[in-house]
């Protein structure tokens, strides 16, 4: 087993640091520390201050007791301040709050990237139709439904989108017939035209979501302040792509929906912003 980065961390001045193995309480700590670091296949000892130890992550929040100390009038003063404060304005707390939003899937911070093409793609409880024979377009085909959003898709790009999503399992494609009218204005003739009906394979609003996002890191945040009774801050953070659904990785789908490649590129290239509010349970 490889040795850990820090072999030991002890106070030069007595009494030595007393801390529990996990999250614990801090008892006494002195001003200076003797730290052994593994570098170049050997252990090297150097002296650092408590502030340097905390800044360098030697003493970690949530992994060991988080301690601070000072010498006042030649006496050691114990400061207890061990567990990380969820209400503190820190990048760690903000990243945790945003990650929870992603996990819960609330508001605009769902952590999902989805297709946006409402004129072509059927949404929940909607139907889109396509003629089985494009030459029947001269028969004025009409969707046999009372829903004004159920349309007959005629343009080639729209038909391609329906077809590739049906092949990928996002949409269901079933043969059917729809109404049409031939003849003249004075002698119209009603006809039935062969067609295909497209509906969502899973009648879910999230069916077109193809990527799941996570938070990589927080870049910066505004100084928290009060606004209309709320203590808030604006956080700028960088996202990362956690996963992409299999159907969205298909070359034909990518060709039909160039917005997929564009969106995934923008996710990694453009930082996002969100507002967080301080509550009794921490930042949310």
């Amino acid at each position: 087993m490889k040795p850990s980065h820090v072999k030991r961390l002890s106070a030069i001045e007595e009494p030595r640091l007393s801390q529990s193995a996990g999250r614990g309480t801090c008892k006494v700590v002195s001003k200076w520390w003797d730290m052994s670091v593994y570098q170049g296949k050997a252990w090297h000892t150097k002296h650092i201050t408590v502030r340097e130890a905390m800044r360098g992550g030697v003493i970690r929040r949530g992994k060991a007791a988080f301690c601070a100390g000072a010498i006042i009038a030649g006496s050691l003063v114990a400061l207890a301040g061990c567990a990380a404060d969820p209400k503190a304005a820190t990048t760690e707390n903000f990243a945790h709050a945003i990650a929870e939003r992603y996990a819960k899937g609330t508001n605009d911070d769902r952590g999902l990237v989805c297709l946006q093409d409402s004129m072509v793609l059927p949404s929940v409880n909607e139907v889109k139709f396509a003629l089985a024979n494009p030459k029947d377009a001269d028969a004025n085909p009409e969707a046999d439904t009372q829903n004004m959003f159920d349309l007959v898709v005629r343009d080639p790009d729209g038909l391609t989108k329906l077809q590739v999503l049906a092949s990928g399992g996002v949409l269901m494609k079933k043969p059917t017939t729809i109404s049409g009218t031939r003849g003249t204005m004075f002698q119209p003739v009603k006809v039935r035209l062969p067609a295909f009906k497209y509906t969502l394979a899973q009648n879910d609003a999230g069916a077109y979501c193809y990527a799941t996002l996570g938070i990589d890191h927080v870049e910066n945040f505004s100084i928290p302040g009060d606004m209309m009774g709320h203590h808030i801050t604006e956080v700028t953070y960088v996202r990362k792509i956690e996963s992409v659904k299999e159907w969205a990785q298909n070359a034909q789908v990518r060709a039909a929906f160039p917005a997929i490649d564009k969106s995934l590129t923008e996710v990694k290239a453009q930082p996002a912003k969100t507002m967080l509010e301080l509550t009794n349970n921490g930042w949310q």
Side-chain angles (χ1 to χ4, degrees), residues 21 30 43 48 67 110 189 200 248 268 278:
S30 62
W43 289 101
I48 61 173
C67 308
R110 295 178 298 165
V189 178
L200 281 170
K268 294 180 288 186
L278 181 61

Side-chain angles (χ1 to χ4, degrees), residues 4 10 69 81 97 102 107 110 122 129 139 183 191 208 210 216 228 283:
S4 59
S10 58
Y102 279 1
N107 302 326
R110 295 178 298 165
F129 297 92
V191 295
Y208 296 121
Y210 54 86
D216 188 78
M228 300 180 67
W283 291 93

Side-chain angles (χ1 to χ4, degrees), residues 92-134:
E92 292 82 1
N93 285 340
F94 296 151
H96 177 72
I98 296 171
E100 280 198 333
R101 283 188 180 181
Y102 279 1
K104 293 177 181 178
T106 58
N107 302 326
D108 294 330
D109 296 308
R110 295 178 298 165
L112 300 174
V113 187
C114 312
L115 295 177
Q116 304 289 338
D117 202 334
S118 58
M119 293 302 296
V120 173
L121 305 180
S123 59
V124 175
N125 298 323
E126 286 184 5
V127 182
K128 299 298 181 187
F129 297 92
L131 291 169
N133 185 358

